[in-house]
Amino acid sequence: MDDMGFPKPPGETRVVVAMSGGVDSSVTAALMAEAGYDVVGMTLQLYDHGQAVARKGACCAGQDIMDARRVADTIGMPHYVLDYESRFRDAVMDDFADSYLRGETPIPCVRCNQSVKFRDLMATARDLGAEALVTGHYIRRLIGPKGRPELHQARDAAKDQSYFLFATTPAQLDFLRFPLGGLEKSETRRHAERLALPVAAKPESQDICFVPDGDYARVVERLRPGACDAGDVVHVDGRVLGRHDGIINFTVGQRKGLGVSIGEPLFVSRIEPESRRVIVGPLSALSRADLTVHDVNWLGDGDLGDGVPRQVTVKIRSAAAVVGATLHGLSDGRARIDFDVAQTGVAAGQACVFYDGSRVLGGGWIARQEATIADQAAVAAAG
């Protein structure tokens, strides 16, 4: 297990484990109990179950709550379910809908960690006298050379969740522990079998928990009636190619489902929410030499705004490889990233996460690119 860093022996240390009902959080709770800690399990009811209750593999749906309780009973530990539905709607679901309406591509899992699980649940854990909130995320908490906790990528690169946890603050990192960060997923499964956990063979959740059938547009339309207003599909050279039935159906980099064709591959290069236009063009129109992020969370050493450029690697999508870049701290919680090699598919609303080797230096939210159709045409011509 990764660094626990508790001042007391295990038997005298109470920890709260966030339990989603899945294999990872269940193994986390069982390992902490096996190590002798005073473990309390907490499961959050986050949304109106509806269809999600009946869908297997949905995080925090009704079946998952029951699974978490079964695991707690197997371990012999107390377990509580907290109704965070209104908090989740305000902080995550409403933000998700509004982000799409701004022409962005949101990441609700980051918002959930940032504003519900790591903020509100952490406060509850403290109220219970816990000395840590423990989760089943695949990420490592290591003590750096200056004696402070650092966030590092997981040992299992295929399961690493550092992209989704970039917004973890230094104060939160003091209170969080991630026992699975040094394990391979196969090891976690073996622990589940060894400990005879009732979820040992349970499949992983893949989709956004409150989108039971993967239809994001329908969820946004339900939360924001009228969100599917029609608009034009416009080529980067200014030609109107057709109509669409709502910008919420598109994301930057998208190729399929555009509803228009000109005999060559087209990609969404820009979404203009004010005019409801979806701008499309060749792959070269997606090329970006830099980007700006806002609401930066800095976990690195020193002051990001000290004016000193930093050579880093960055990730601009959860499934993307890290790429080389230069990080420039700006004012008002912003930063500019200059790529070593131009990148495609940079989407507003996604995160750009900064790394130094395996260490997570922080990250921010990618801002919309303020560009005109003429600017996009020039980019396309240059390609």
Side-chain angles (χ1 to χ4, degrees), residues 2-3 42 45 68 74-75 81 85 94 98 108 115 117 132 171-172 188 208 220 235 250 257 259 261 296 363 372:
D2 80 343
D3 163 64
M42 290 285 183
Q45 179 180 317
T74 298
I75 298 171
V81 178
E85 188 174 322
D94 285 346
D98 292 338
S115 58
K117 292 179 180 175
Q172 291 171 341
T188 301
I208 296 173
V220 175
H235 195 274
F250 301 90
S261 176
V296 171
T372 64

Side-chain angles (χ1 to χ4, degrees), residues 115-341:
S115 58
V116 178
K117 292 179 180 175
F118 286 179
R119 185 190 66 191
D120 296 341
L121 184 54
M122 190 174 292
T124 301
R126 291 184 188 277
D127 289 343
L128 289 173
E131 299 197 31
L133 174 63
V134 186
T135 81
H137 289 103
Y138 285 86
I139 194 166
R140 291 179 296 159
R141 176 189 184 273
L142 304 178
I143 301 301
K146 296 184 179 180
R148 296 196 300 266
E150 299 175 350
L151 209 55
H152 286 254
Q153 292 172 305
R155 173 187 165 197
D156 188 339
K159 297 299 299 179
D160 174 59
Q161 293 174 289
S162 61
Y163 182 84
F164 299 100
L165 297 175
F166 80 88
T168 305
T169 67
Q172 291 171 341
L173 193 54
D174 281 339
F175 195 67
L176 287 164
R177 301 294 188 275
F178 309 105
L180 303 188
L183 300 182
E184 299 284 340
K185 177 68 178 194
S186 58
E187 294 177 89
T188 301
R189 287 284 184 188
R190 286 197 294 272
H191 278 301
E193 294 168 358
R194 176 181 65 82
L195 296 162
L197 299 182
V199 296
K202 186 174 181 178
E204 294 186 66
S205 173
Q206 299 294 332
D207 299 323
I208 296 173
C209 64
F210 58 90
V211 187
D213 57 2
D215 189 346
Y216 304 151
R218 188 174 68 172
V219 172
V220 175
E221 174 70 16
R222 178 170 58 83
L223 293 170
R224 298 291 183 269
C228 291
D229 291 341
D232 290 330
V233 178
V234 184
H235 195 274
V236 291
D237 63 11
R239 287 178 291 160
V240 177
L241 302 180
R243 298 282 287 174
H244 65 77
D245 57 3
I247 62 171
I248 62 175
N249 295 295
F250 301 90
T251 185
V252 170
Q254 179 177 333
R255 179 179 177 182
K256 297 181 178 179
L258 303 186
V260 297
S261 176
I262 61 171
E264 64 182 46
L266 292 174
F267 301 82
V268 175
S269 65
R270 180 174 166 78
I271 298 172
E272 298 181 343
E274 296 83 4
S275 62
R276 299 196 298 278
R277 294 192 298 186
V278 174
I279 313 303
V280 300
L283 183 61
S284 58
L286 291 172
S287 182
R288 294 275 299 274
D290 57 53
L291 60 80
T292 301
V293 292
H294 58 85
D295 294 324
V296 171
N297 180 57
W298 180 242
L299 294 171
D301 299 325
D303 179 5
L304 180 59
D306 58 12
V308 178
R310 291 171 169 82
Q311 292 301 124
V312 297
T313 57
V314 300
K315 181 179 284 197
I316 58 173
R317 295 181 302 278
S318 62
V322 294
V323 296
T326 302
L327 173 64
H328 304 269
L330 304 174
S331 60
D332 303 322
R334 297 179 301 122
R336 189 183 83 244
I337 291 84
D338 296 333
F339 297 116
D340 292 352
V341 177

Side-chain angles (χ1 to χ4, degrees), residues 51-59 63-64 202-207:
Q51 291 176 300
V53 173
R55 184 173 67 89
K56 295 181 179 180
C59 171
Q63 182 60 51
D64 297 297
K202 186 174 181 178
E204 294 186 66
S205 173
Q206 299 294 332
D207 299 323

